[in-house]
Amino acid sequence: MNLSSAFLVTRAVLPGMVARNYGRIVQMSSVTGPVAGIAGSGVYAAAKAGLLGLTRVLAIEAGPHNVTVNCIGPGWIETDSSSPLEIVAGKYTPVGRSGKPDEVGHVAVFLASEEASYVTGQLIVVDAGNTIQEYKVQT
């Protein structure tokens, strides 16, 4: 569902954006798949990595029509559906906490804006630096 729903919505809206010679597509991926893996999350990781592949191809195809296509890759973001283990994992990011949904939302707003007109085909990771560190426990 993560990949097919994004594909179907994009297929529906992209022709209108091309016709208007303007558009912004922001896909919600994850760090799981394109950047990192979690045991037992193979299907999820494959779908989220597939979103990045779709994003990059669409950025190439739609770029000449002033349409940018990007992905956001959230890390540990605390929501009502976060498990206790996910909240603990957020404490081991370099900033010491899970992210907030609005912190991801601000990145989406930027990517959807005119100010992001020269950003396309990218995965913007919003994970408090978690994927750049080797040790993820207290040392």
Side-chain angles (χ1 to χ4, degrees):
M1 231 176 152
N2 282 295
L3 181 56
S4 60
S5 60
F7 168 77
L8 292 170
V9 170
T10 301
R11 184 172 68 177
V13 300
L14 186 58
M17 292 179 177
V18 168
R20 286 185 299 281
N21 200 46
Y22 182 84
R24 300 285 182 262
I25 296 173
V26 181
Q27 308 283 16
M28 194 58 63
S29 184
S30 176
V31 294
T32 304
V35 180
I38 297 175
S41 297
V43 172
Y44 177 83
K48 293 302 189 173
L51 273 173
L52 180 57
L54 176 65
T55 293
R56 289 184 170 161
V57 169
L58 289 172
I60 293 166
E61 294 174 355
H65 305 283
N66 196 32
V67 176
T68 63
V69 187
N70 290 288
C71 266
I72 298 175
W76 300 117
I77 306 300
E78 188 171 346
T79 67
D80 290 341
S81 66
S82 295
S83 74
L85 288 176
E86 291 170 336
I87 293 169
V88 168
K91 293 179 181 180
Y92 293 98
T93 67
V95 302
R97 64 174 177 82
S98 295
K100 300 172 191 162
D102 64 328
E103 292 172 310
V104 176
H106 292 302
V107 175
V109 168
F110 167 70
L111 291 172
S113 74
E114 183 58 35
E115 287 77 13
S117 63
Y118 204 60
V119 180
T120 196
Q122 301 305 307
L123 173 68
I124 308 299
V125 174
V126 183
D127 76 343
N130 191 51
T131 54
I132 64 168
Q133 65 180 350
E134 191 162 342
Y135 288 108
K136 293 185 170 66
V137 296
Q138 288 180 329
T139 56

